[in-house]
Amino acid sequence: MSRKHVSPNALSALYRLHARGFIAYLVGGCVRDLLLGRTPKDFDIGTDATPNQIKKLFRNCRLIGRRFRLAHLHFKNEIVEVSTFRRAGSPSDNPEPEEEGRPKRPRHIKDEEGMVLVDNVFGTPEEDALRRDFTINALAYNIADASLIDFSTGLADLNDRVIRPIGEPSVRFTEDPVRMLRAVRFAASHGFDIESAAWESICELSSTISRVPPARLYEEIQKLFLLGSARTAFRLMDKSRLLSTLFPSLGRSIDGNSRCRELLEANLAFIDQAYRSGGMALSPALFFAALFGPSLERAALVRHKEGIPRHQALDETCALFMEEISKTVSVPGRVGGRMRAILALQASLHKMPPRRPASIAGRSEFAEALAYLRIAAETKKEYKPSLEWWDTFLLEMPPIAAAEPATEKLPKKRRRRRRQKGRHVPMAPSDQEKG
């Protein structure tokens, strides 16, 4: 494995740890991707230095995390994560309570179902590797002698393109249900197969994904669907029932509805292609519009036909959606609001000819709304003329019109100038005063 493809900041941190007498390994997914000839998105370091020792060694270090105590090294355009080697813990690893003063913080906690809540028990490099999620993520690169270390079957599984949990799959997925999403993500993004026993456990334990904090699931959902493999991830999520657990309303809408499922897959395929080509900016709001927009638009249309104004119907539908999804995935309000704005602008984009198109093009959500129209036009041919009109308009639109604000500004009221008091001019002294 060549060091030329390793981040200079990560190499610098590895060399400094090694120079101070600590073990320093490049660990995890970056080693996996380097061996596959892929460019890692980030670089992680494993060491026997404790978090406090790491903080003393690097002035740009910030310690984070409760469940896992980690060190983040902040560089100009990159964050390198450094973690202390750990091992699988047990309640016996927790410190004895103090007789006086504050109790010591426990190092290992599991809930009643077996999910790990706190895990900060330090261990050896091998123990650290064997507590990771999958064998292909348990590989390490030793900066001291440029050797590749494999404590499990990582290299063999990498060659066979198999995702295999380390240990009993049901136990590992119970300890951290997010590992099920990670298995799906690696299978989708790398084109790997999930080991049969692991797949059976995922299908059996899919309902337990709802025990994960919603904020953490939001981050995982972005990794699943915004990195170029959304369509394959969607299929695996649907097949394993993870999708219906995370998004119940979406699961109900596609259950037995092949047309709806095909439409969503086509939308996600378009997003994947756009990501790979780099021709369209992807945002969480646009992704959620592509995934949930069709069902939200249908529900809003039903409300509209019942006599509710169109915009109000869409507002109520989106509000109910946000209320339901927040129980499992914590979608920020700004993202939900942006998704609603993308859907609301579709009526103006479909109207031919549009009223005051330059003003529409100046709206902040216009680019994403047009991207949504472009996605929808792939499956709904009746949208093609609208899309072509807007593409032509944008080519011919003068720069000044393109910069026109979204809403017409009212003329400013003229401020009434305050009358300045006259400056006091002292009078010349009278003759008597002069005397």
Side-chain angles (χ1 to χ4, degrees), residues 101-135:
R102 295 178 61 185
K104 293 183 179 179
R105 181 177 295 176
R107 299 191 187 98
H108 182 80
I109 299 177
K110 282 187 178 182
D111 65 11
E112 295 178 354
E113 286 78 17
M115 186 168 74
V116 177
L117 304 178
V118 177
D119 193 13
N120 283 304
V121 183
F122 299 146
T124 65
E126 182 176 3
E127 289 172 330
D128 184 79
L130 295 180
R131 60 178 288 282
R132 292 182 176 271
D133 49 9
F134 307 111
T135 59

PDB file of all heavy atoms in Angstrom, residues 101-135:
ATOM      1  N   GLY A 101     -17.442  12.047  47.678  1.00  0.00           N
ATOM      2  CA  GLY A 101     -17.247  12.801  46.441  1.00  0.00           C
ATOM      3  C   GLY A 101     -18.071  12.243  45.300  1.00  0.00           C
ATOM      4  O   GLY A 101     -18.934  11.375  45.452  1.00  0.00           O
ATOM      5  N   ARG A 102     -17.748  12.697  44.073  1.00  0.00           N
ATOM      6  CA  ARG A 102     -18.494  12.302  42.886  1.00  0.00           C
ATOM      7  C   ARG A 102     -18.158  10.873  42.491  1.00  0.00           C
ATOM      8  O   ARG A 102     -16.984  10.468  42.551  1.00  0.00           O
ATOM      9  CB  ARG A 102     -18.178  13.239  41.734  1.00  0.00           C
ATOM     10  CG  ARG A 102     -18.637  14.674  41.955  1.00  0.00           C
ATOM     11  CD  ARG A 102     -18.247  15.544  40.785  1.00  0.00           C
ATOM     12  NE  ARG A 102     -18.873  15.063  39.561  1.00  0.00           N
ATOM     13  CZ  ARG A 102     -18.628  15.575  38.360  1.00  0.00           C
ATOM     14  NH1 ARG A 102     -17.758  16.571  38.237  1.00  0.00           N
ATOM     15  NH2 ARG A 102     -19.237  15.091  37.293  1.00  0.00           N
ATOM     16  N   PRO A 103     -19.143  10.075  42.053  1.00  0.00           N
ATOM     17  CA  PRO A 103     -18.844   8.711  41.599  1.00  0.00           C
ATOM     18  C   PRO A 103     -18.046   8.724  40.305  1.00  0.00           C
ATOM     19  O   PRO A 103     -18.161   9.639  39.496  1.00  0.00           O
ATOM     20  CB  PRO A 103     -20.234   8.101  41.384  1.00  0.00           C
ATOM     21  CG  PRO A 103     -21.131   9.273  41.140  1.00  0.00           C
ATOM     22  CD  PRO A 103     -20.575  10.395  41.970  1.00  0.00           C
ATOM     23  N   LYS A 104     -17.220   7.709  40.121  1.00  0.00           N
ATOM     24  CA  LYS A 104     -16.414   7.628  38.902  1.00  0.00           C
ATOM     25  C   LYS A 104     -17.293   7.244  37.720  1.00  0.00           C
ATOM     26  O   LYS A 104     -18.247   6.481  37.854  1.00  0.00           O
ATOM     27  CB  LYS A 104     -15.300   6.590  39.081  1.00  0.00           C
ATOM     28  CG  LYS A 104     -14.252   6.990  40.109  1.00  0.00           C
ATOM     29  CD  LYS A 104     -13.137   5.958  40.188  1.00  0.00           C
ATOM     30  CE  LYS A 104     -12.074   6.371  41.200  1.00  0.00           C
ATOM     31  NZ  LYS A 104     -10.994   5.369  41.307  1.00  0.00           N
ATOM     32  N   ARG A 105     -16.940   7.792  36.563  1.00  0.00           N
ATOM     33  CA  ARG A 105     -17.722   7.530  35.349  1.00  0.00           C
ATOM     34  C   ARG A 105     -17.525   6.084  34.894  1.00  0.00           C
ATOM     35  O   ARG A 105     -16.390   5.618  34.762  1.00  0.00           O
ATOM     36  CB  ARG A 105     -17.290   8.477  34.244  1.00  0.00           C
ATOM     37  CG  ARG A 105     -18.058   8.310  32.941  1.00  0.00           C
ATOM     38  CD  ARG A 105     -17.619   9.323  31.917  1.00  0.00           C
ATOM     39  NE  ARG A 105     -17.953  10.676  32.343  1.00  0.00           N
ATOM     40  CZ  ARG A 105     -17.620  11.768  31.670  1.00  0.00           C
ATOM     41  NH1 ARG A 105     -16.931  11.646  30.536  1.00  0.00           N
ATOM     42  NH2 ARG A 105     -17.963  12.948  32.112  1.00  0.00           N
ATOM     43  N   PRO A 106     -18.625   5.324  34.625  1.00  0.00           N
ATOM     44  CA  PRO A 106     -18.472   3.932  34.172  1.00  0.00           C
ATOM     45  C   PRO A 106     -17.825   3.858  32.797  1.00  0.00           C
ATOM     46  O   PRO A 106     -18.002   4.756  31.967  1.00  0.00           O
ATOM     47  CB  PRO A 106     -19.911   3.409  34.147  1.00  0.00           C
ATOM     48  CG  PRO A 106     -20.765   4.632  34.026  1.00  0.00           C
ATOM     49  CD  PRO A 106     -20.034   5.714  34.757  1.00  0.00           C
ATOM     50  N   ARG A 107     -17.074   2.794  32.574  1.00  0.00           N
ATOM     51  CA  ARG A 107     -16.382   2.622  31.287  1.00  0.00           C
ATOM     52  C   ARG A 107     -17.191   1.770  30.305  1.00  0.00           C
ATOM     53  O   ARG A 107     -16.932   1.802  29.100  1.00  0.00           O
ATOM     54  CB  ARG A 107     -15.014   1.961  31.521  1.00  0.00           C
ATOM     55  CG  ARG A 107     -14.069   2.764  32.400  1.00  0.00           C
ATOM     56  CD  ARG A 107     -12.666   2.177  32.347  1.00  0.00           C
ATOM     57  NE  ARG A 107     -11.767   2.813  33.285  1.00  0.00           N
ATOM     58  CZ  ARG A 107     -11.457   2.324  34.479  1.00  0.00           C
ATOM     59  NH1 ARG A 107     -11.994   1.165  34.872  1.00  0.00           N
ATOM     60  NH2 ARG A 107     -10.649   2.965  35.278  1.00  0.00           N
ATOM     61  N   HIS A 108     -18.116   0.969  30.818  1.00  0.00           N
ATOM     62  CA  HIS A 108     -18.879   0.075  29.926  1.00  0.00           C
ATOM     63  C   HIS A 108     -20.304  -0.040  30.439  1.00  0.00           C
ATOM     64  O   HIS A 108     -20.527  -0.398  31.591  1.00  0.00           O
ATOM     65  CB  HIS A 108     -18.226  -1.309  29.868  1.00  0.00           C
ATOM     66  CG  HIS A 108     -18.933  -2.264  28.946  1.00  0.00           C
ATOM     67  ND1 HIS A 108     -18.764  -2.259  27.581  1.00  0.00           N
ATOM     68  CD2 HIS A 108     -19.845  -3.242  29.204  1.00  0.00           C
ATOM     69  CE1 HIS A 108     -19.513  -3.195  27.028  1.00  0.00           C
ATOM     70  NE2 HIS A 108     -20.181  -3.798  27.990  1.00  0.00           N
ATOM     71  N   ILE A 109     -21.272   0.268  29.558  1.00  0.00           N
ATOM     72  CA  ILE A 109     -22.691   0.160  29.923  1.00  0.00           C
ATOM     73  C   ILE A 109     -23.453  -0.431  28.745  1.00  0.00           C
ATOM     74  O   ILE A 109     -23.263  -0.027  27.603  1.00  0.00           O
ATOM     75  CB  ILE A 109     -23.300   1.538  30.270  1.00  0.00           C
ATOM     76  CG1 ILE A 109     -22.583   2.165  31.474  1.00  0.00           C
ATOM     77  CG2 ILE A 109     -24.786   1.398  30.588  1.00  0.00           C
ATOM     78  CD1 ILE A 109     -23.100   3.554  31.806  1.00  0.00           C
ATOM     79  N   LYS A 110     -24.321  -1.401  29.034  1.00  0.00           N
ATOM     80  CA  LYS A 110     -25.272  -1.940  28.064  1.00  0.00           C
ATOM     81  C   LYS A 110     -26.680  -1.753  28.606  1.00  0.00           C
ATOM     82  O   LYS A 110     -26.898  -1.779  29.823  1.00  0.00           O
ATOM     83  CB  LYS A 110     -25.033  -3.438  27.816  1.00  0.00           C
ATOM     84  CG  LYS A 110     -23.876  -3.780  26.895  1.00  0.00           C
ATOM     85  CD  LYS A 110     -23.848  -5.273  26.599  1.00  0.00           C
ATOM     86  CE  LYS A 110     -22.727  -5.634  25.636  1.00  0.00           C
ATOM     87  NZ  LYS A 110     -22.732  -7.085  25.305  1.00  0.00           N
ATOM     88  N   ASP A 111     -27.643  -1.550  27.689  1.00  0.00           N
ATOM     89  CA  ASP A 111     -29.018  -1.474  28.155  1.00  0.00           C
ATOM     90  C   ASP A 111     -29.598  -2.876  28.308  1.00  0.00           C
ATOM     91  O   ASP A 111     -28.892  -3.884  28.114  1.00  0.00           O
ATOM     92  CB  ASP A 111     -29.867  -0.609  27.221  1.00  0.00           C
ATOM     93  CG  ASP A 111     -30.004  -1.209  25.819  1.00  0.00           C
ATOM     94  OD1 ASP A 111     -29.620  -2.380  25.625  1.00  0.00           O
ATOM     95  OD2 ASP A 111     -30.507  -0.504  24.923  1.00  0.00           O
ATOM     96  N   GLU A 112     -30.872  -2.957  28.649  1.00  0.00           N
ATOM     97  CA  GLU A 112     -31.488  -4.260  28.927  1.00  0.00           C
ATOM     98  C   GLU A 112     -31.518  -5.158  27.699  1.00  0.00           C
ATOM     99  O   GLU A 112     -31.484  -6.383  27.821  1.00  0.00           O
ATOM    100  CB  GLU A 112     -32.914  -4.058  29.454  1.00  0.00           C
ATOM    101  CG  GLU A 112     -32.961  -3.336  30.801  1.00  0.00           C
ATOM    102  CD  GLU A 112     -34.396  -3.115  31.268  1.00  0.00           C
ATOM    103  OE1 GLU A 112     -35.323  -3.426  30.477  1.00  0.00           O
ATOM    104  OE2 GLU A 112     -34.587  -2.640  32.395  1.00  0.00           O
ATOM    105  N   GLU A 113     -31.568  -4.555  26.493  1.00  0.00           N
ATOM    106  CA  GLU A 113     -31.612  -5.354  25.258  1.00  0.00           C
ATOM    107  C   GLU A 113     -30.227  -5.758  24.769  1.00  0.00           C
ATOM    108  O   GLU A 113     -30.111  -6.533  23.820  1.00  0.00           O
ATOM    109  CB  GLU A 113     -32.343  -4.583  24.159  1.00  0.00           C
ATOM    110  CG  GLU A 113     -33.852  -4.514  24.322  1.00  0.00           C
ATOM    111  CD  GLU A 113     -34.260  -3.480  25.361  1.00  0.00           C
ATOM    112  OE1 GLU A 113     -33.399  -2.625  25.680  1.00  0.00           O
ATOM    113  OE2 GLU A 113     -35.394  -3.531  25.851  1.00  0.00           O
ATOM    114  N   GLY A 114     -29.180  -5.208  25.382  1.00  0.00           N
ATOM    115  CA  GLY A 114     -27.825  -5.567  24.975  1.00  0.00           C
ATOM    116  C   GLY A 114     -27.129  -4.549  24.116  1.00  0.00           C
ATOM    117  O   GLY A 114     -26.019  -4.798  23.632  1.00  0.00           O
ATOM    118  N   MET A 115     -27.758  -3.365  23.891  1.00  0.00           N
ATOM    119  CA  MET A 115     -27.107  -2.331  23.091  1.00  0.00           C
ATOM    120  C   MET A 115     -26.086  -1.594  23.942  1.00  0.00           C
ATOM    121  O   MET A 115     -26.370  -1.196  25.073  1.00  0.00           O
ATOM    122  CB  MET A 115     -28.141  -1.343  22.539  1.00  0.00           C
ATOM    123  CG  MET A 115     -27.547  -0.323  21.581  1.00  0.00           C
ATOM    124  SD  MET A 115     -28.799   0.633  20.668  1.00  0.00           S
ATOM    125  CE  MET A 115     -29.384   1.721  21.950  1.00  0.00           C
ATOM    126  N   VAL A 116     -24.877  -1.419  23.391  1.00  0.00           N
ATOM    127  CA  VAL A 116     -23.811  -0.753  24.112  1.00  0.00           C
ATOM    128  C   VAL A 116     -24.076   0.750  24.153  1.00  0.00           C
ATOM    129  O   VAL A 116     -24.300   1.379  23.123  1.00  0.00           O
ATOM    130  CB  VAL A 116     -22.438  -1.038  23.452  1.00  0.00           C
ATOM    131  CG1 VAL A 116     -21.340  -0.268  24.170  1.00  0.00           C
ATOM    132  CG2 VAL A 116     -22.133  -2.536  23.490  1.00  0.00           C
ATOM    133  N   LEU A 117     -24.053   1.314  25.361  1.00  0.00           N
ATOM    134  CA  LEU A 117     -24.269   2.746  25.545  1.00  0.00           C
ATOM    135  C   LEU A 117     -22.970   3.481  25.825  1.00  0.00           C
ATOM    136  O   LEU A 117     -22.778   4.612  25.392  1.00  0.00           O
ATOM    137  CB  LEU A 117     -25.250   2.986  26.694  1.00  0.00           C
ATOM    138  CG  LEU A 117     -26.620   2.295  26.570  1.00  0.00           C
ATOM    139  CD1 LEU A 117     -27.468   2.582  27.793  1.00  0.00           C
ATOM    140  CD2 LEU A 117     -27.334   2.742  25.307  1.00  0.00           C
ATOM    141  N   VAL A 118     -22.066   2.855  26.571  1.00  0.00           N
ATOM    142  CA  VAL A 118     -20.749   3.420  26.875  1.00  0.00           C
ATOM    143  C   VAL A 118     -19.720   2.321  26.710  1.00  0.00           C
ATOM    144  O   VAL A 118     -19.930   1.196  27.156  1.00  0.00           O
ATOM    145  CB  VAL A 118     -20.695   3.991  28.318  1.00  0.00           C
ATOM    146  CG1 VAL A 118     -19.294   4.508  28.630  1.00  0.00           C
ATOM    147  CG2 VAL A 118     -21.714   5.094  28.503  1.00  0.00           C
ATOM    148  N   ASP A 119     -18.601   2.638  26.059  1.00  0.00           N
ATOM    149  CA  ASP A 119     -17.578   1.618  25.820  1.00  0.00           C
ATOM    150  C   ASP A 119     -16.214   2.283  25.728  1.00  0.00           C
ATOM    151  O   ASP A 119     -15.768   2.660  24.652  1.00  0.00           O
ATOM    152  CB  ASP A 119     -17.892   0.846  24.530  1.00  0.00           C
ATOM    153  CG  ASP A 119     -17.048  -0.418  24.395  1.00  0.00           C
ATOM    154  OD1 ASP A 119     -16.431  -0.809  25.394  1.00  0.00           O
ATOM    155  OD2 ASP A 119     -17.016  -0.984  23.303  1.00  0.00           O
ATOM    156  N   ASN A 120     -15.572   2.458  26.858  1.00  0.00           N
ATOM    157  CA  ASN A 120     -14.271   3.114  26.899  1.00  0.00           C
ATOM    158  C   ASN A 120     -13.270   2.287  27.699  1.00  0.00           C
ATOM    159  O   ASN A 120     -12.614   2.786  28.614  1.00  0.00           O
ATOM    160  CB  ASN A 120     -14.399   4.523  27.515  1.00  0.00           C
ATOM    161  CG  ASN A 120     -14.993   5.519  26.532  1.00  0.00           C
ATOM    162  OD1 ASN A 120     -14.477   5.694  25.435  1.00  0.00           O
ATOM    163  ND2 ASN A 120     -16.084   6.149  26.907  1.00  0.00           N
ATOM    164  N   VAL A 121     -13.189   1.013  27.354  1.00  0.00           N
ATOM    165  CA  VAL A 121     -12.244   0.120  28.004  1.00  0.00           C
ATOM    166  C   VAL A 121     -11.056  -0.064  27.068  1.00  0.00           C
ATOM    167  O   VAL A 121     -11.196  -0.615  25.976  1.00  0.00           O
ATOM    168  CB  VAL A 121     -12.892  -1.244  28.333  1.00  0.00           C
ATOM    169  CG1 VAL A 121     -11.901  -2.138  29.084  1.00  0.00           C
ATOM    170  CG2 VAL A 121     -14.157  -1.049  29.151  1.00  0.00           C
ATOM    171  N   PHE A 122      -9.885   0.399  27.475  1.00  0.00           N
ATOM    172  CA  PHE A 122      -8.712   0.344  26.604  1.00  0.00           C
ATOM    173  C   PHE A 122      -8.178  -1.078  26.494  1.00  0.00           C
ATOM    174  O   PHE A 122      -8.307  -1.895  27.408  1.00  0.00           O
ATOM    175  CB  PHE A 122      -7.622   1.273  27.144  1.00  0.00           C
ATOM    176  CG  PHE A 122      -8.052   2.719  27.212  1.00  0.00           C
ATOM    177  CD1 PHE A 122      -7.595   3.554  28.214  1.00  0.00           C
ATOM    178  CD2 PHE A 122      -8.923   3.234  26.269  1.00  0.00           C
ATOM    179  CE1 PHE A 122      -8.005   4.885  28.283  1.00  0.00           C
ATOM    180  CE2 PHE A 122      -9.338   4.553  26.322  1.00  0.00           C
ATOM    181  CZ  PHE A 122      -8.873   5.374  27.335  1.00  0.00           C
ATOM    182  N   GLY A 123      -7.568  -1.372  25.323  1.00  0.00           N
ATOM    183  CA  GLY A 123      -7.052  -2.713  25.086  1.00  0.00           C
ATOM    184  C   GLY A 123      -5.859  -2.695  24.161  1.00  0.00           C
ATOM    185  O   GLY A 123      -5.206  -1.668  23.946  1.00  0.00           O
ATOM    186  N   THR A 124      -5.575  -3.839  23.552  1.00  0.00           N
ATOM    187  CA  THR A 124      -4.434  -4.006  22.651  1.00  0.00           C
ATOM    188  C   THR A 124      -4.884  -3.772  21.206  1.00  0.00           C
ATOM    189  O   THR A 124      -6.091  -3.745  20.921  1.00  0.00           O
ATOM    190  CB  THR A 124      -3.864  -5.421  22.774  1.00  0.00           C
ATOM    191  OG1 THR A 124      -4.854  -6.361  22.311  1.00  0.00           O
ATOM    192  CG2 THR A 124      -3.514  -5.744  24.226  1.00  0.00           C
ATOM    193  N   PRO A 125      -3.945  -3.642  20.276  1.00  0.00           N
ATOM    194  CA  PRO A 125      -4.336  -3.500  18.866  1.00  0.00           C
ATOM    195  C   PRO A 125      -5.200  -4.653  18.366  1.00  0.00           C
ATOM    196  O   PRO A 125      -6.164  -4.436  17.629  1.00  0.00           O
ATOM    197  CB  PRO A 125      -3.001  -3.428  18.131  1.00  0.00           C
ATOM    198  CG  PRO A 125      -2.050  -2.871  19.136  1.00  0.00           C
ATOM    199  CD  PRO A 125      -2.496  -3.430  20.453  1.00  0.00           C
ATOM    200  N   GLU A 126      -4.873  -5.877  18.762  1.00  0.00           N
ATOM    201  CA  GLU A 126      -5.672  -7.018  18.318  1.00  0.00           C
ATOM    202  C   GLU A 126      -7.070  -6.981  18.912  1.00  0.00           C
ATOM    203  O   GLU A 126      -8.063  -7.231  18.212  1.00  0.00           O
ATOM    204  CB  GLU A 126      -4.978  -8.332  18.704  1.00  0.00           C
ATOM    205  CG  GLU A 126      -5.745  -9.565  18.234  1.00  0.00           C
ATOM    206  CD  GLU A 126      -5.012 -10.861  18.520  1.00  0.00           C
ATOM    207  OE1 GLU A 126      -3.929 -10.804  19.131  1.00  0.00           O
ATOM    208  OE2 GLU A 126      -5.534 -11.930  18.127  1.00  0.00           O
ATOM    209  N   GLU A 127      -7.165  -6.668  20.210  1.00  0.00           N
ATOM    210  CA  GLU A 127      -8.485  -6.574  20.838  1.00  0.00           C
ATOM    211  C   GLU A 127      -9.318  -5.467  20.189  1.00  0.00           C
ATOM    212  O   GLU A 127     -10.531  -5.618  20.021  1.00  0.00           O
ATOM    213  CB  GLU A 127      -8.321  -6.302  22.337  1.00  0.00           C
ATOM    214  CG  GLU A 127      -7.788  -7.496  23.120  1.00  0.00           C
ATOM    215  CD  GLU A 127      -7.448  -7.138  24.554  1.00  0.00           C
ATOM    216  OE1 GLU A 127      -7.071  -5.961  24.812  1.00  0.00           O
ATOM    217  OE2 GLU A 127      -7.549  -8.028  25.424  1.00  0.00           O
ATOM    218  N   ASP A 128      -8.664  -4.392  19.813  1.00  0.00           N
ATOM    219  CA  ASP A 128      -9.372  -3.294  19.168  1.00  0.00           C
ATOM    220  C   ASP A 128      -9.895  -3.722  17.794  1.00  0.00           C
ATOM    221  O   ASP A 128     -11.033  -3.405  17.423  1.00  0.00           O
ATOM    222  CB  ASP A 128      -8.427  -2.093  19.013  1.00  0.00           C
ATOM    223  CG  ASP A 128      -9.136  -0.882  18.433  1.00  0.00           C
ATOM    224  OD1 ASP A 128      -9.848  -0.194  19.190  1.00  0.00           O
ATOM    225  OD2 ASP A 128      -8.981  -0.627  17.220  1.00  0.00           O
ATOM    226  N   ALA A 129      -9.081  -4.457  17.046  1.00  0.00           N
ATOM    227  CA  ALA A 129      -9.501  -4.901  15.710  1.00  0.00           C
ATOM    228  C   ALA A 129     -10.680  -5.866  15.795  1.00  0.00           C
ATOM    229  O   ALA A 129     -11.620  -5.792  14.997  1.00  0.00           O
ATOM    230  CB  ALA A 129      -8.323  -5.557  14.994  1.00  0.00           C
ATOM    231  N   LEU A 130     -10.647  -6.757  16.787  1.00  0.00           N
ATOM    232  CA  LEU A 130     -11.674  -7.792  16.882  1.00  0.00           C
ATOM    233  C   LEU A 130     -12.983  -7.270  17.475  1.00  0.00           C
ATOM    234  O   LEU A 130     -13.966  -8.009  17.528  1.00  0.00           O
ATOM    235  CB  LEU A 130     -11.155  -8.966  17.709  1.00  0.00           C
ATOM    236  CG  LEU A 130      -9.965  -9.714  17.078  1.00  0.00           C
ATOM    237  CD1 LEU A 130      -9.516 -10.863  17.974  1.00  0.00           C
ATOM    238  CD2 LEU A 130     -10.321 -10.228  15.685  1.00  0.00           C
ATOM    239  N   ARG A 131     -13.012  -6.032  17.933  1.00  0.00           N
ATOM    240  CA  ARG A 131     -14.269  -5.468  18.409  1.00  0.00           C
ATOM    241  C   ARG A 131     -14.924  -4.583  17.346  1.00  0.00           C
ATOM    242  O   ARG A 131     -15.979  -3.988  17.580  1.00  0.00           O
ATOM    243  CB  ARG A 131     -14.054  -4.645  19.686  1.00  0.00           C
ATOM    244  CG  ARG A 131     -13.120  -3.488  19.509  1.00  0.00           C
ATOM    245  CD  ARG A 131     -12.970  -2.677  20.782  1.00  0.00           C
ATOM    246  NE  ARG A 131     -14.157  -1.906  21.075  1.00  0.00           N
ATOM    247  CZ  ARG A 131     -14.490  -0.768  20.477  1.00  0.00           C
ATOM    248  NH1 ARG A 131     -13.708  -0.275  19.526  1.00  0.00           N
ATOM    249  NH2 ARG A 131     -15.576  -0.127  20.797  1.00  0.00           N
ATOM    250  N   ARG A 132     -14.301  -4.474  16.177  1.00  0.00           N
ATOM    251  CA  ARG A 132     -14.880  -3.689  15.089  1.00  0.00           C
ATOM    252  C   ARG A 132     -16.052  -4.429  14.460  1.00  0.00           C
ATOM    253  O   ARG A 132     -16.299  -5.594  14.738  1.00  0.00           O
ATOM    254  CB  ARG A 132     -13.814  -3.345  14.052  1.00  0.00           C
ATOM    255  CG  ARG A 132     -12.784  -2.370  14.600  1.00  0.00           C
ATOM    256  CD  ARG A 132     -11.745  -1.989  13.577  1.00  0.00           C
ATOM    257  NE  ARG A 132     -10.848  -0.973  14.135  1.00  0.00           N
ATOM    258  CZ  ARG A 132     -11.058   0.338  14.063  1.00  0.00           C
ATOM    259  NH1 ARG A 132     -12.121   0.797  13.423  1.00  0.00           N
ATOM    260  NH2 ARG A 132     -10.212   1.189  14.610  1.00  0.00           N
ATOM    261  N   ASP A 133     -16.756  -3.745  13.562  1.00  0.00           N
ATOM    262  CA  ASP A 133     -17.998  -4.314  13.044  1.00  0.00           C
ATOM    263  C   ASP A 133     -17.784  -5.442  12.046  1.00  0.00           C
ATOM    264  O   ASP A 133     -18.317  -6.536  12.195  1.00  0.00           O
ATOM    265  CB  ASP A 133     -18.882  -3.214  12.443  1.00  0.00           C
ATOM    266  CG  ASP A 133     -18.113  -2.304  11.488  1.00  0.00           C
ATOM    267  OD1 ASP A 133     -16.951  -2.609  11.160  1.00  0.00           O
ATOM    268  OD2 ASP A 133     -18.686  -1.276  11.049  1.00  0.00           O
ATOM    269  N   PHE A 134     -16.947  -5.190  11.004  1.00  0.00           N
ATOM    270  CA  PHE A 134     -16.779  -6.174   9.937  1.00  0.00           C
ATOM    271  C   PHE A 134     -15.297  -6.468   9.709  1.00  0.00           C
ATOM    272  O   PHE A 134     -14.434  -5.624   9.985  1.00  0.00           O
ATOM    273  CB  PHE A 134     -17.423  -5.656   8.642  1.00  0.00           C
ATOM    274  CG  PHE A 134     -18.851  -5.233   8.813  1.00  0.00           C
ATOM    275  CD1 PHE A 134     -19.212  -3.894   8.737  1.00  0.00           C
ATOM    276  CD2 PHE A 134     -19.841  -6.169   9.072  1.00  0.00           C
ATOM    277  CE1 PHE A 134     -20.521  -3.486   8.914  1.00  0.00           C
ATOM    278  CE2 PHE A 134     -21.159  -5.766   9.249  1.00  0.00           C
ATOM    279  CZ  PHE A 134     -21.505  -4.433   9.175  1.00  0.00           C
ATOM    280  N   THR A 135     -15.047  -7.635   9.175  1.00  0.00           N
ATOM    281  CA  THR A 135     -13.649  -8.051   8.984  1.00  0.00           C
ATOM    282  C   THR A 135     -12.905  -7.122   8.031  1.00  0.00           C
ATOM    283  O   THR A 135     -11.721  -6.864   8.221  1.00  0.00           O
ATOM    284  CB  THR A 135     -13.600  -9.489   8.443  1.00  0.00           C
ATOM    285  OG1 THR A 135     -14.305  -9.550   7.185  1.00  0.00           O
ATOM    286  CG2 THR A 135     -14.230 -10.472   9.413  1.00  0.00           C
TER     287      THR A 135
END
